[in-house]
């Protein structure tokens, strides 16, 4: 009944507890009227229910959506990790002597052989690998989402280092 309109009640990981508290609160309210019909006014019940509902409201208050850790607080992506990753996933083609049977020479003349050769192409690597995911070509080298995320993190890092300088 309530849940159709109030996503905060069932969308929470505590949805079972929220339902239990709501049920307890309604029992108390019902109890108040039952007793009143018998001539007894249970004044303590109102504050009790109020406290219950306020506690509930506090618990299910909206949280900041997906808090993004600022770049500075994330563990720095090491240059070695990036070289290793790009060597594993890109250098079958983008090397002076490609091992991928489709290519005799590096496609686009692009060779990634050390950190600088990668960092110099950071913008293009980011757009091809993280944004459009065109590279690795047909994902022939089986790049994973985690690896794309790592490249994205590295790219942010490179950019924020540049903006500091
Ligand atoms: C299976 C072979 C292959 C693999 C693996 C591969 N590429 Fe490429 N890459 C190509 C080809 C083919 C082109 C197109 C060259 C052209 O346009 O002449 C290209 C072009 C590019 C370009 C230039 C795009 C442009 O528009 O200037 C970038 C940047 C690039 N690749 C990055 C990467 C990165 C980073 C990886 C690894 C994550 C990777 N590639 C893996 C084959 C590959």
């Amino acid at each position: 009944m309530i849940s159709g309109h109030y996503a905060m009640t069932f969308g929470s990981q505590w949805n079972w507890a929220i339902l239990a508290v709501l049920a307890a609160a309604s029992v108390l309210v019902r109890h108040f009227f039952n007793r009143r019909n018998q001539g007894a006014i249970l004044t303590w019940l109102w504050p009790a229910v109020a406290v219950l509902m306020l506690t509930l409201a506090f618990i299910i208050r909206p949280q900041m959506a997906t808090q993004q850790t600022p770049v500075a607080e994330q563990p720095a992506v090491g240059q070695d990790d990036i070289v290793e990753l790009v060597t594993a996933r890109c250098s079958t083609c983008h090397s002076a002597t490609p091992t991928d049977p489709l290519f005799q020479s590096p496609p686009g003349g692009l060779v990634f052989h050390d950190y600088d050769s990668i960092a110099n192409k950071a913008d293009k690597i980011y757009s091809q690998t993280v944004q459009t995911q065109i590279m690795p070509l047909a994902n022939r080298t089986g790049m994973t989402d985690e690896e794309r995320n790592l490249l994205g993190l590295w790219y942010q890092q490179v950019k924020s280092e540049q903006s500091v300088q």
Side-chain angles (χ1 to χ4, degrees):
M1 180 181 76
I2 41 174
S3 52
H5 296 286
Y6 300 99
M8 64 279 198
T9 56
F10 66 89
S12 161
Q13 58 177 356
W14 300 107
N15 50 11
W16 55 272
I18 291 166
L19 188 63
V21 174
L22 284 177
S26 23
V27 166
L28 286 179
V29 171
R30 190 62 245 169
H31 184 59
F32 175 87
F33 286 110
N34 287 346
R35 296 292 285 138
R36 196 185 63 169
N37 292 343
Q38 298 165 2
I41 303 289
L42 302 182
T43 39
W44 58 269
L45 254 170
W46 287 118
V49 171
V51 166
L52 262 183
M53 294 308 284
L54 285 175
T55 310
L56 191 59
F58 177 76
I59 292 172
I60 64 177
R61 72 195 180 283
Q63 309 280 338
M64 286 286 282
T66 55
Q67 290 183 339
Q68 271 238 322
T69 319
V71 175
E73 287 173 21
Q74 279 162 349
V77 182
Q79 297 192 356
D80 289 349
D81 294 338
I82 291 302
V83 173
E84 196 182 312
L85 198 167
V86 170
T87 305
R89 303 299 186 201
C90 318
S91 295
T92 52
C93 298
H94 293 286
S95 115
T97 51
T99 52
D100 190 305
L102 287 181
F103 299 96
Q104 270 73 54
S105 59
L110 267 182
V111 175
F112 304 127
H113 59 92
D114 60 4
Y115 183 76
D116 284 345
S117 63
I118 297 168
N120 287 338
K121 294 279 180 287
D123 287 332
K124 281 202 161 174
I125 292 176
Y126 178 69
S127 75
Q128 298 288 309
T129 309
V130 182
Q131 290 183 310
T132 62
Q133 311 201 348
I134 293 170
M135 291 291 141
L137 191 70
N139 204 7
R140 280 171 66 87
T141 49
M143 177 172 255
T144 65
D145 287 346
E146 288 77 40
E147 290 169 335
R148 292 188 202 276
N149 289 342
L150 191 75
L151 274 178
L153 221 57
W154 165 74
Y155 181 73
Q156 288 179 26
Q157 193 174 299
V158 169
K159 288 291 130 181
S160 70
E161 282 163 9
Q162 283 173 356
S163 65
V164 169
Q165 282 157 12

